[in-house]
Amino acid sequence: MSAKNPKAMSSLQILQYSVKWHHMAHKVSSLLDAYSGLLSNESVILAVNSSFVDPLLQFESQLKIIESSFGMIVVMPGLDKVKEMGSSNEDSEDIENLYHNILNIYENILLTLVTKDLYKLQILKEMLVWMSKDSSYLQERIMVIINKVLRFTVRKVRKYTSVDAPCLGLLAAELSLLCSHEDPSIVQQASLGMCHLLYIAQCQNDIRTNKPTNDKSYSLQFPSSDVEFLPKEFRQDKSKIAQRVGQTLLPSLLTDFVWSLLMKLSSPDDKIASDAASILKFTLEFHAEKVTRVSKIVDTIYRQLCDNNCMKDVMLRVITLLSRTSPKKVIFQLMDYSVPADDTLIQMWQAAGSEASVAPHVLKTILLILKGKPGEMEDTLTKGKRPSPDVTNLMPLAASQALCTFLPLGSYRKAVAQFFPQLLMTLMFQVFYSNELKLTKDNALYAQDALRVLLNCSGLQQVDITLTKANFWDQLSEELCYYYGVYFIAKTLSEYNFPQFPETLRYLYKLSVEGPRRSEDSVIVVIFLTELLNNYFRDPFPEEFLVLFTNWINDSNPIVSKVILQRIAHMSPVVNKIENVSSILIAILDAFLSKDDTVVLRALITLRRLLNNLDTMTYSLGTRIGSSYCPLMDHINGGIRSMAIRHFGELVRDMRQYTWMLNDVILEGLVPLILFLEDDEERVAKACKCTLKICTSQLKWSTSRLLKDENYSFEMVVLNICNNLIISHRKYITDLISDTLGFLWSPRTYLKRTSVILIGYLAKSGGHLLLRVEIKVMLDAIEQLLRDEDPVTKELAEITYDIFKKIAHKLTSATLNQHFQKLLKFFYIKKLSPLYNYNSLKDQIDSPTDSKDMKNDKTL
């Protein structure tokens, strides 16, 4: 047999050799055992390879057989010792042939597997792992076998229309480390193997991109003899290896390459760990943008650093390099650990933010995280449930703590200036969220600490000093004081003329137009923006903010409405000078319809404050403003009733030169002004007297005297007003009767009594103007009060009912009534006399229902 062309031996030949070598059987038995074992394993592998076994199970079983065969090879003696076994030249040649046959059988097994499935190139990677565990003299020979398999694969893939070799990254990592081996022969074989592997990877790329695959498409050429060619650029040159691998491998394969090297950093072999570190850093320097599964890599680094079993500086450098191309993935992963961060995590933060070029991207990512609310789960946003502090969902807290690390870095100075407005407002939001969550004191202070760091890193140290002297930071954590805290920060910044004002104002305007994500954010934005405007724009007020103000007045969040109304009132001297101030006035009038009583009260106060400073031109809205007060005069809230009534009177007084504009409105509000003279709440009754004095004076009625406390009598006031109506405004009587009718069913006793009296006098003075059908409606309404549980109401209703009965009796027919109405309207004038002899409810014992009504009504 020739060593260069070995032939397979049959079992008979093995037996013949055994007889021939019986005199030295003890010397060649290990070779014969290995040979027979490999033949047996080969037959099993071929059988499995041709079966329909699940591919994964098939590979696992074949890998075990290959590992067993590998064990047989590595225990064989070296070739020199094998030659010494023969007692003659012929024996030595035969034993050497046997030796080569054993190795070639193993090689043929590998070729058979790879021929059918390139996926099984992974076996080569496993061989390199096994080889690293045994530093025997067969390493070079194993590398030769691996190279032959790779070279065979190169020839095959040239003809393939698809290449599926997912193990190339892992195999490349093993070969790259061997390119720095101490043995030059191993380096030579590893370099050649890298050359073959990268050609396979290039073919894979070309097929995916529909490029023609040929030798010239890749810069490395492949000669016919392994000995003749040595790719010198891979030899001991880690930088070249990293560049070539990064250029050639697909992202998923390059990620495997990086991952494998990362795992090598914890190797007990210092040289392997050092070589892996160098190649890893070079690879990420050149091609970090192609690496995927960044989050997994970052998490692995964190856990290895915590275990203190790896190269710390290299690991942190990897974080820095990954942050260059994937800052968002790195930062998101670094924020996904428990709070507070430990020393290891803080070191990783510092590594991620160590370069100025990534600072803007890091801050953008942190701002994105800070849009979230600590402890808030997705369903809490839709179901309106109060969030709970869930440790698995506290990334915003971690991000706030991270800012305390990033912001002071010198490399972040420019980025901090660029994102100052966003950071300022976002941290203001986060301080509020932390207070709302009732977190532990330490956790709640992260956003506050970051806010202080931001001020100090932005040249606003004096602002922080002033706030500290005012004990501001200690009080800010109190939820009830928080909105005042927002105002105080804005005020202090304004007092120091902070240079970031223009960009902060622009950002606040943008945020206001787009709308914050949460209604509580709107409150903070409104407070901050209005305070800045109040301090920087005394005159004139920026018109572009007018639309924002009008929208905020009727915001869905009542706190926003109250805040903006309060700020408008405070800024009234400036707001009044706006050319289109009527739009704000109309928005305030719309706020009168709010379901939140505090919003209505604040709207009343703000409107009054504005009207105090407006010129007469604004009174073109006088009629609309006056009409808007009228519905509030009957509001369930006594505070709103009294304020609306009093402000109505003040409007009439302010417009005394334009009374003709308000006459209709005065008469529109006359019914509630009369009826609420007997209100249970003294403030409402006093407001009615005050306003009625103003209104009756403007109408030239002599009623004011009767409204003085010493002369006051409800019935006499009603009698006087009705007599004046007969004389000067009789056309309004039917409308006033209609308005009064709505109060007959009030649950408040005093309203039923006063409305019965008023409707009786109105009917007495203008009943002749009513149609028969209208009188029937009145009779039906009064008839229900004849059964009222309050005896005084019942007695008053009987008198009024009798009045309407008499009016109905006088109407002989509807037709006759309609013919004479016009004539009577001009000529029928008859002053009334007292009908009821009514004593004020305040002088009587309250009914049970009245006491209950009073309790419900006295809320402000």
Side-chain angles (χ1 to χ4, degrees), residues 489-530:
I489 287 182
K491 181 176 180 293
T492 307
L493 285 169
S494 300
E495 289 174 350
Y496 281 94
N497 293 316
F498 72 116
Q500 298 88 348
F501 167 74
E503 53 265 38
T504 301
L505 188 64
R506 282 194 295 270
Y507 176 70
L508 286 169
Y509 180 77
K510 177 177 178 289
L511 196 60
S512 302
V513 172
E514 295 176 353
R517 298 180 70 231
R518 299 175 180 83
S519 60
E520 55 262 47
D521 295 355
S522 297
V523 180
I524 297 170
V525 170
V526 169
I527 295 173
F528 212 94
L529 177 59
T530 53

Side-chain angles (χ1 to χ4, degrees), residues 623-634:
T623 302
R624 181 168 180 175
I625 294 172
S627 297
S628 298
Y629 282 128
C630 293
L632 299 182
M633 294 180 187
D634 183 31

Side-chain angles (χ1 to χ4, degrees), residues 355-615:
E355 298 184 354
S357 60
V358 303
H361 304 289
V362 170
L363 291 184
K364 280 183 181 179
T365 304
I366 289 181
L367 286 169
L368 182 62
I369 294 171
L370 289 175
K371 285 184 177 181
K373 193 173 183 178
E376 185 178 54
M377 306 301 288
E378 185 175 352
D379 58 345
T380 62
L381 291 172
T382 55
K383 297 182 180 179
K385 297 180 180 178
R386 186 179 180 86
S388 59
D390 181 354
V391 295
T392 64
N393 192 35
L394 295 181
M395 287 180 69
L397 286 181
S400 297
Q401 185 184 6
L403 282 178
C404 296
T405 298
F406 289 125
L407 296 180
L409 297 176
S411 57
Y412 273 66
R413 184 171 301 170
K414 186 176 179 180
V416 170
Q418 178 185 352
F419 292 101
F420 177 84
Q422 294 91 325
L423 290 167
L424 177 65
M425 296 312 302
T426 299
L427 289 173
M428 294 292 289
F429 298 155
Q430 286 298 322
V431 172
F432 177 79
Y433 300 154
S434 299
N435 293 344
E436 188 183 30
L437 268 178
K438 306 294 185 187
L439 297 171
T440 62
K441 185 175 181 181
D442 291 338
N443 287 352
L445 292 178
Y446 290 139
Q448 183 173 308
D449 290 344
L451 185 56
R452 296 189 67 179
V453 172
L454 175 66
L455 294 175
N456 284 281
C457 291
S458 304
L460 301 171
Q461 294 88 344
Q462 285 301 317
V463 173
D464 182 40
I465 292 172
T466 301
L467 294 174
T468 303
K469 287 181 178 179
N471 201 30
F472 170 79
W473 299 113
D474 293 335
Q475 297 176 2
L476 188 60
S477 59
E478 299 176 15
E479 187 174 353
L480 295 177
C481 299
Y482 183 71
Y483 289 140
Y484 175 77
V486 175
Y487 155 78
F488 195 70
I489 287 182
K491 181 176 180 293
T492 307
L493 285 169
S494 300
E495 289 174 350
Y496 281 94
N497 293 316
F498 72 116
Q500 298 88 348
F501 167 74
E503 53 265 38
T504 301
L505 188 64
R506 282 194 295 270
Y507 176 70
L508 286 169
Y509 180 77
K510 177 177 178 289
L511 196 60
S512 302
V513 172
E514 295 176 353
R517 298 180 70 231
R518 299 175 180 83
S519 60
E520 55 262 47
D521 295 355
S522 297
V523 180
I524 297 170
V525 170
V526 169
I527 295 173
F528 212 94
L529 177 59
T530 53
E531 182 57 26
L532 292 184
L533 292 174
N534 185 44
N535 284 279
Y536 281 91
F537 294 98
R538 299 290 183 184
D539 185 25
F541 185 83
E543 293 280 346
E544 55 267 29
F545 290 95
L546 187 62
V547 176
L548 294 179
F549 275 45
T550 55
N551 291 338
W552 281 333
I553 289 171
N554 291 286
D555 193 87
S556 58
N557 184 348
I559 299 178
V560 172
S561 300
K562 287 186 286 186
V563 168
I564 192 62
L565 286 167
Q566 186 177 20
R567 301 308 297 161
I568 290 173
H570 184 69
M571 299 168 65
S572 57
V574 179
V575 175
N576 285 336
K577 295 181 180 180
I578 299 175
E579 183 176 349
N580 191 25
V581 71
S582 59
S583 62
I584 288 185
L585 295 177
I586 292 171
I588 294 174
L589 295 179
D590 292 339
F592 284 1
L593 304 176
S594 173
K595 295 180 181 179
D596 189 295
D597 289 355
T598 56
V599 172
V600 178
L601 283 168
R602 180 51 61 184
L604 285 166
I605 295 170
T606 301
L607 180 61
R608 189 63 243 163
R609 181 76 67 86
L610 290 173
L611 292 177
N612 285 339
N613 294 279
L614 291 174
D615 56 33

Side-chain angles (χ1 to χ4, degrees), residues 24-91:
M24 52 178 181
H26 63 285
K27 294 182 179 181
V28 298
S29 60
S30 61
L31 295 178
L32 291 173
D33 290 341
Y35 187 80
S36 60
L38 282 173
L39 286 176
S40 175
N41 288 345
E42 182 182 29
S43 62
V44 173
I45 285 176
L46 291 174
V48 172
N49 215 35
S50 303
S51 67
F52 296 98
V53 178
D54 178 85
L56 180 60
L57 295 176
Q58 183 186 98
F59 175 76
E60 290 176 350
S61 63
Q62 290 175 337
L63 183 62
K64 289 180 181 179
I65 297 171
I66 292 294
E67 185 176 9
S68 172
S69 301
F70 184 85
M72 297 176 187
I73 293 175
V74 296
V75 298
M76 292 193 307
L79 182 59
D80 293 338
K81 290 186 177 181
V82 167
K83 291 179 178 180
E84 294 175 358
M85 292 179 183
S87 56
S88 63
N89 291 336
E90 184 180 357
D91 289 344

